[in-house]
Amino acid sequence: MSNITIDRIELRVIEIELISPFRTSMGLELTHPCIIVSAFSNGLTGWGECVASQAVTAEWAFYSYETVETAWHILKDFLAPALVGKTLNSVEPLVEIGERLRGHPMARAGLEAAIWDLLAQSEGLPLADYLRAGQNYSQPRRDRVNVGVSVGIQSSVEETVSTVAGYIEQGYRRIKLKIEPGWDVDVARAVRREFPDIPLMLDANSAYSLKDAERLKQLDEFNLLMIEQPLAYDDIYEHAKLQAQLSTPICLDESIHTLKHAEWAYELEACRIINIKPGRVGGLYHGRAIHDLSLSRGKPVWIGGMMETGIGRAANVALASLPGVTLPGDISASNRYYRKDITEPPFVLNPDSTVSVPTAPGIGVTIDQRQLDEYTQRKAVVSSTG
Ligand code: OSB
Ligand code: MG
């Protein structure tokens, strides 16, 4: 394992307009704001994306407590200064630094991703291979990962059916519909009637309470792959009570921040599936650990998405190549999100509803520096020379 010394870390706030507005039970997103982290070491540059959110319209709620501003503070004032000048041959020292924060998983994940990219490049390995190194998985690595598309709340049921039809036309097999109270049974019934055989799932983003159990039970008749995060963002216990009443598998997203949470959720039977997002769990290291636990327990997992640019998407694709990721991810092609992304080449959908795993070292995509500069709103540099 080669050593890398971190000379300098650059942070940028960027914002990219989405091709289509994305409405969920939390509100409406018109753009994807994020922090792009670049870490420099001896001529190499590693790239990571921090997916903390930001209110962009008056009507909002947050997916998590982290915002671009909190993550900027944590990265610029704590994590980056703690790392510059350090020499490492794995992400573990950074994981330990991150633990001291007691939270702020998205900020940690953004910096950790840049270091994973650097380390994989210095080993000459694609990130997908570097993530497997020393893990003793018996299955060979996937070179394509199964993906689906996450469909926001539309203005009518008919519009939803035609939006879904458009995505199926493009080759997406698994469809996820965002739901909220009043936008659930009817839309699920209509889409299921039109597409009787597609893998179909719903995501409530914590919009329900246990009192809605009777309503949620009505969804059992639609042969759903799963229902994602019906109850509170910080709950595990009540999801167990709900799962006992539903035949549809519950998948937890917002509630799972640590390996312990995953253990507790499985032990309580609060869910049968976990959506792993590197940002939510504090990075690829912990994401892989939740994957490993799930693999050993025979629990299926999949990789979620936060509308990432090509930088975050490439890392998600690498994570999705691990053997326990047996369900399609929210990792759609670049053209589902942006007119012009900041990486090349774009991720494209293969005819079998997969995305190919990059084969170049590190995250395996190149940065379009001009495009990145165009989207940049703010920049900071943390270097060892001060
Ligand atoms: O709950 O999975 C979610 C996007 C932003 C915040 C939360 C979620 C999502 C998605 C989009 O569902 C997934 C994607 O990136 O395609
Ligand atoms: Mg979700």
Side-chain angles (χ1 to χ4, degrees), residues 100-180:
R100 295 192 226 149
L101 287 169
R102 303 188 178 179
H104 302 282
M106 290 173 177
R108 289 151 63 184
L111 178 57
E112 199 192 288
I115 304 305
W116 278 101
D117 183 23
L118 264 182
L119 288 163
Q121 287 181 49
S122 76
E123 298 290 336
L125 292 174
L127 181 57
D129 286 337
Y130 185 66
L131 273 173
R132 294 171 65 91
Q135 294 299 106
N136 296 314
Y137 300 126
S138 51
Q139 300 90 327
R141 144 152 120 62
R142 288 194 187 92
D143 52 16
R144 298 170 156 219
V145 301
N146 286 309
V147 304
V149 63
S150 176
V151 179
I153 295 172
Q154 315 282 306
S155 51
S156 69
V157 167
E158 301 74 57
E159 192 188 337
T160 310
V161 171
S162 71
T163 302
V164 169
Y167 284 128
I168 288 175
E169 185 79 6
Q170 289 175 41
Y172 291 104
R173 282 198 197 140
R174 190 230 63 183
I175 300 292
K176 159 167 146 181
L177 305 175
K178 292 288 189 178
I179 58 164
E180 64 185 0

Side-chain angles (χ1 to χ4, degrees), residues 289-303:
I290 293 172
H291 160 275
D292 293 349
L293 170 79
S294 306
L295 183 61
S296 74
R297 302 262 176 108
K299 304 283 189 191
V301 296
W302 54 283
I303 309 307

Side-chain angles (χ1 to χ4, degrees), residues 63 176 178 203 205 228-229 253-254 275 277 302:
Y63 170 83
K176 159 167 146 181
K178 292 288 189 178
D203 186 358
N205 290 112
E228 196 180 336
Q229 195 72 34
D253 174 355
E254 280 90 331
N275 161 346
K277 290 179 182 170
W302 54 283

